Amino acid sequence: MRGGFKEVETRPDIMVDEHDEIGSLKVINTPGHTPGSISLYDSSHKIIITGDAFQTKGGLAIAGDKRKFFPFPAFATWSKQTALQSAEKIAHLQIDCLATGHGKLLMNPDFKPAIKRLDNKISEEKN
């Protein structure tokens, strides 16, 4: 991974798999920013906590999509293509409130422009 990371040893308290539930939150695998990224979804309230899979600071963006006013999450993204696939998975959920690792809560998010923007950038990089 890119960025200024220190090598640390960690040991998780518990391991979770996709569809596990932690209280009212369902675990959704959303790798991309990091290989083991997850999001937590509360379907009864239509709220999702995506951590760094998305950002709202500097505009709604997927991990790996370098944004002019807040480019930092893009610099440390493990796989743009995987992040895009995770974003597409999230976009199929019913979401009224998006909580991200960077930026304010976003009500009634429209993921389509962010997905299209990163998809276009990935396509341009391939050519």
Side-chain angles (χ1 to χ4, degrees):
M1 294 185 33
R2 299 180 300 257
F5 298 99
K6 294 183 179 184
E7 195 169 317
V8 295
E9 283 192 41
T10 61
R11 183 173 298 164
D13 294 329
I14 61 168
M15 298 294 288
V16 295
D17 292 311
E18 186 155 49
H19 307 298
D20 283 354
E21 293 184 4
I22 304 167
S24 66
L25 303 174
K26 182 184 281 189
V27 174
I28 300 171
N29 291 333
T30 51
H33 185 65
T34 63
S37 292
I38 63 168
S39 295
L40 300 171
Y41 178 57
D42 182 333
S43 61
S44 63
H45 294 98
K46 299 180 184 167
I47 298 170
I48 192 159
I49 305 166
T50 64
D52 289 341
F54 283 93
Q55 69 187 52
T56 58
K57 189 171 186 170
L60 180 60
I62 301 165
D65 181 4
K66 190 167 89 172
R67 304 295 291 175
K68 180 178 181 179
F69 296 108
F70 194 68
F72 308 112
F75 295 136
T77 293
W78 167 68
S79 169
K80 291 179 190 177
Q81 185 64 49
T82 305
L84 179 61
Q85 292 166 351
S86 292
E88 290 168 336
K89 181 193 296 188
I90 288 170
H92 285 96
L93 300 172
Q94 292 183 332
I95 298 172
D96 289 342
C97 181
L98 170 66
T100 67
H102 300 282
K104 295 182 179 182
L105 293 175
L106 182 60
M107 303 304 292
N108 303 308
D110 180 4
F111 296 106
K112 291 175 194 161
I115 288 170
K116 183 175 181 179
R117 189 174 48 251
L118 184 56
D119 188 38
N120 288 341
K121 286 182 179 183
I122 291 170
S123 294
E124 289 172 7
E125 289 173 1
K126 289 179 182 177
N127 295 330

